[in-house]
Amino acid sequence: LNVLVAPVLDLEGHNKGIVIVFHDITQLKKLERVRQDFVANVSHELKTPITSIKGFSETLLDGAMYREEHLKQFLSIISQEAERLHRLVEDLLQLSQIEQRQFELNWQKVNLAEVMNNSLRVIEAKAEAKEIKLEYTPPVESTFVEADPDRLQQIVINLLSNAIQYTPEKGEVRLSIDPWAEKGYRICVSDTGIGIHKEEITRIFERFYRVDRARSRASGGTGLGLAIVKHLVEAHQGEITVESEPGKGSTFCVYLHRQRNKQDNKQKNR
Ligand code: ADP
C-alpha cells in the first residue's frame, strides 16, 4: 500500500486540513514480479544452450577436432543446442506478438477435417519412432468453422506433439472431432501417457512451467507450447480444457465456435 499525505491550503496559504491518498499497489507489485520472473526465466533458458555451444566449440578448437569421434559428437551437440535456441526465440517472438495483440488471425472458412489430416501428417514420424498408435476417425459430416487454418493446425500439432512426448513407447494417442451442441465443434487429443497431477493442471499453461523440467528439456521442449496454444485458442474465442489422471493419461479438448463473434473481436483488439 502506498500512502501519500499532503496538506490542503486555501488561497491565502492557511492550512485547511490534509488529504490522504491510499494507493493499492498489490497488483502492480505482482505484475512487476511476473515480469521479473519472466526475464529471469528467459535468461536462464537462453544461457543453457549458449554455454553448451561455447564449451563444445572451444573444446573442438583446442584440439578435439582432430579426433574424429569427438568431432562428430560435439558438432551434433552444437547443432542441437543451436536448434533449441532457434525454437526458443521463435516461440518467444510469437508469444510476445500474441500478448501484445500485434498479430491478426487470418479468418476464413476452414474445413476441420483437412486441418486434422495435415496435422497428423506432420506428427506421424514422431509417433512411429516411439511405436505409438495414432487413432483418428474422420468425421462423416462436413465440419466447417470460421478460423485461421495455420493457427488451428499449430494448436493441433502442439497438442499431438505433447501427447506423443509424454506417452511412453507403444502407447496410444487419439484425435477426435465431435459436434459441440449447436455451437460448433470439439477437437480432443487423448493419450495413454504419464498424466498430470491435479495441482499442476492449472499451471501447465503458464510460460515456462513444466512438471518435469529435465524431461521437457531433454525432449527439446521450450515450456512455451501450451502458453501459445491457450492464447491462440482464446484469440479464436474458443476454450481449452484438460482432464488427466497420473499414470493413466490426459485429454486436452479445444472448443471452437462455428462462427466468430465480430463484436467480441473488436472489443478484444481495442
Ligand atoms: P514443453 O515444451 O515442456 O512440452 P508445454 O507448454 O507444451 O511445454 O507443456 C508444459 C508442461 O505440461 C510440460 O512440460 C509437461 O510437464 C506438461 N504436459 C503437457 N502436455 C502433456 C501431456 N499430454 N501429458 C502429460 N503432461 C503434459
Side-chain angles (χ1 to χ4, degrees):
L1 197 72
N2 252 357
V3 185
L4 192 80
V5 185
V8 179
L9 308 177
D10 64 14
L11 288 175
E12 278 94 44
H14 299 124
N15 203 336
K16 298 280 280 180
I18 56 168
V19 58
I20 305 176
V21 180
F22 296 96
H23 190 195
D24 184 357
I25 55 167
T26 327
Q27 194 57 25
L28 278 178
K29 274 256 159 73
K30 215 160 138 191
L31 279 176
E32 180 59 12
R33 191 157 323 128
V34 168
R35 199 191 60 79
Q36 283 169 357
D37 284 354
F38 181 65
V39 173
N41 270 325
V42 172
S43 315
H44 178 77
E45 294 293 332
L46 291 173
K47 215 168 140 187
T48 323
I50 289 172
T51 307
S52 189
I53 290 171
K54 253 185 101 202
F56 282 103
S57 54
E58 279 163 12
T59 314
L60 281 176
L61 288 172
D62 278 349
M65 63 180 172
Y66 299 111
R67 295 186 56 180
E68 185 138 355
E69 75 272 24
H70 283 164
L71 184 63
K72 202 140 189 209
Q73 186 195 357
F74 292 1
L75 280 177
S76 137
I77 296 172
I78 291 171
S79 154
Q80 276 167 29
E81 294 298 306
E83 180 54 37
R84 170 192 292 287
L85 271 180
H86 176 78
R87 253 194 330 266
L88 195 63
V89 171
E90 292 273 302
D91 280 0
L92 280 170
L93 221 64
Q94 191 179 20
L95 199 59
S96 101
Q97 280 171 351
I98 299 172
E99 288 183 347
Q100 293 176 19
R101 302 200 182 284
Q102 279 174 352
F103 91 128
E104 293 220 349
L105 289 185
N106 174 20
W107 290 99
Q108 47 185 277
K109 198 172 168 193
V110 177
N111 185 357
L112 283 179
E114 216 168 277
V115 174
M116 302 298 116
N117 286 336
N118 294 341
S119 309
L120 285 168
R121 217 170 297 135
V122 173
I123 218 75
E124 238 166 30
K126 198 173 166 182
E128 252 166 47
K130 285 182 82 178
E131 290 182 58
I132 287 176
K133 201 162 135 201
L134 270 181
E135 286 268 347
Y136 168 62
T137 318
V140 266
E141 37 175 304
S142 65
T143 44
F144 283 93
V145 293
E146 206 179 349
D148 180 329
D150 294 337
R151 299 292 152 243
L152 219 47
Q153 192 166 319
Q154 192 182 353
I155 293 171
V156 178
I157 290 174
N158 241 303
L159 294 179
L160 282 172
S161 167
N162 275 350
I164 295 168
Q165 198 61 62
Y166 299 102
T167 296
E169 285 191 3
K170 299 195 166 64
E172 206 178 294
V173 169
R174 188 184 298 263
L175 175 67
S176 64
I177 314 178
D178 300 299
W180 169 32
E182 290 301 300
K183 300 180 195 168
Y185 295 95
R186 183 182 78 161
I187 302 167
C188 293
V189 176
S190 306
D191 63 60
T192 57
I194 57 173
I196 308 156
H197 280 279
K198 216 160 108 197
E199 316 81 69
E200 278 169 316
I201 285 186
T202 49
R203 303 210 55 193
I204 55 171
F205 294 100
E206 289 174 20
R207 302 178 291 196
F208 292 119
Y209 188 83
R210 290 118 150 191
V211 176
D212 179 346
R213 180 170 284 263
R215 183 181 180 133
S216 160
R217 278 190 52 83
S219 63
T222 61
L224 296 174
L226 284 181
I228 293 175
V229 163
K230 186 156 202 262
H231 279 296
L232 289 178
V233 171
E234 282 169 359
H236 276 94
Q237 304 168 354
E239 273 172 51
I240 182 160
T241 61
V242 193
E243 274 178 37
S244 188
E245 203 176 321
K248 286 246 167 92
S250 316
T251 300
F252 287 76
C253 291
V254 174
Y255 292 80
L256 294 170
H257 290 277
R258 206 164 299 200
Q259 258 171 346
R260 71 168 149 154
N261 176 350
K262 291 209 170 103
Q263 214 58 38
D264 192 29
N265 248 30
K266 264 192 217 125
Q267 272 170 5
K268 278 194 177 160
N269 284 334
R270 219 185 276 156

